[in-house]
Amino acid sequence: MRRVNLHIKLLFLLIRRSGVTISGTDSTSIESKTTATSIGVSASAAAGTSVSGGGSFAFNNITTDTNVIVDKADLMAAGLVSVTVSNAAVVNAMVRSIAASLTLSGGAGKGFAIGASLAQNSIKGTTVAGRDGRSDVTATIRNSAIDAGGVSVTANSTGTIDAEVLAFAAAVAASGGSGLPGQLGGSL
């Protein structure tokens, strides 16, 4: 869990010609790349069997608190008083698995290949903007006196997940007798 907190308490501020901006930003990111490669080869003058299996898994999770709180403050400004918080978390995941099997035999030949890839990615949190409250991404003004050209309280959460998940499997059986190739590939 990552926390980014800006808590302004007991502040007196007088700005005669412009506004006041109080802001906080979190841009946590995960860059994840996993690859599994498996190759099975069998060569025999008699019967032969080749088996190959590859699996690649990625589990990426971002959990963060991002808060900007103005508490017990006196603010006077000619322009806008703005309290802003943003969370722009990013998960980029590339998950690949490749499995290949080759069987060469003078008798019966069997070749099997299995490839599997799985990616589970999450960015946890919600957004709350208001005068008081608590959540994962919050902008809050409480117990404060503000005399200004306007007041803006904004909380933005713009999480992005980009995942590329690939599974490939190939089996070849070449034999002087009977041949049985089999392959299975899957990705989630």
Side-chain angles (χ1 to χ4, degrees), residues 10 21-22 46 68 95 97 108 112 136 148 164 181:
L10 301 173
T21 300
I22 302 167
V68 175
V95 184
S97 68
F112 302 98
D136 293 320
E164 177 185 314

Side-chain angles (χ1 to χ4, degrees), residues 2 9 25 29 31 36 58 68 76 91 93 100 120 122 145 150 158 173 177 179:
R2 178 181 163 133
K9 193 169 188 176
T25 301
S29 67
E31 194 77 30
V68 175
M76 288 182 269
V91 175
Q120 181 179 356
S122 67
T158 57

Side-chain angles (χ1 to χ4, degrees), residues 69-159:
I69 301 168
V70 176
D71 188 15
K72 298 178 183 165
D74 289 325
L75 301 174
M76 288 182 269
L80 179 69
V81 171
S82 174
V83 177
T84 305
V85 65
S86 65
N87 183 320
V90 176
V91 175
N92 289 316
M94 182 185 303
V95 184
R96 297 177 176 171
S97 68
I98 300 168
S101 173
L102 173 64
T103 303
L104 304 171
S105 65
K110 299 175 190 166
F112 302 98
I114 298 173
S117 295
L118 172 67
Q120 181 179 356
N121 305 296
S122 67
I123 299 173
K124 296 181 181 176
T126 57
T127 304
V128 173
R131 295 192 61 80
D132 196 7
R134 175 76 168 87
S135 188
D136 293 320
V137 181
T138 60
T140 304
I141 298 174
R142 64 181 173 211
N143 305 316
S144 298
I146 298 175
D147 183 6
V151 176
S152 172
V153 180
T154 308
N156 294 307
S157 182
T158 57

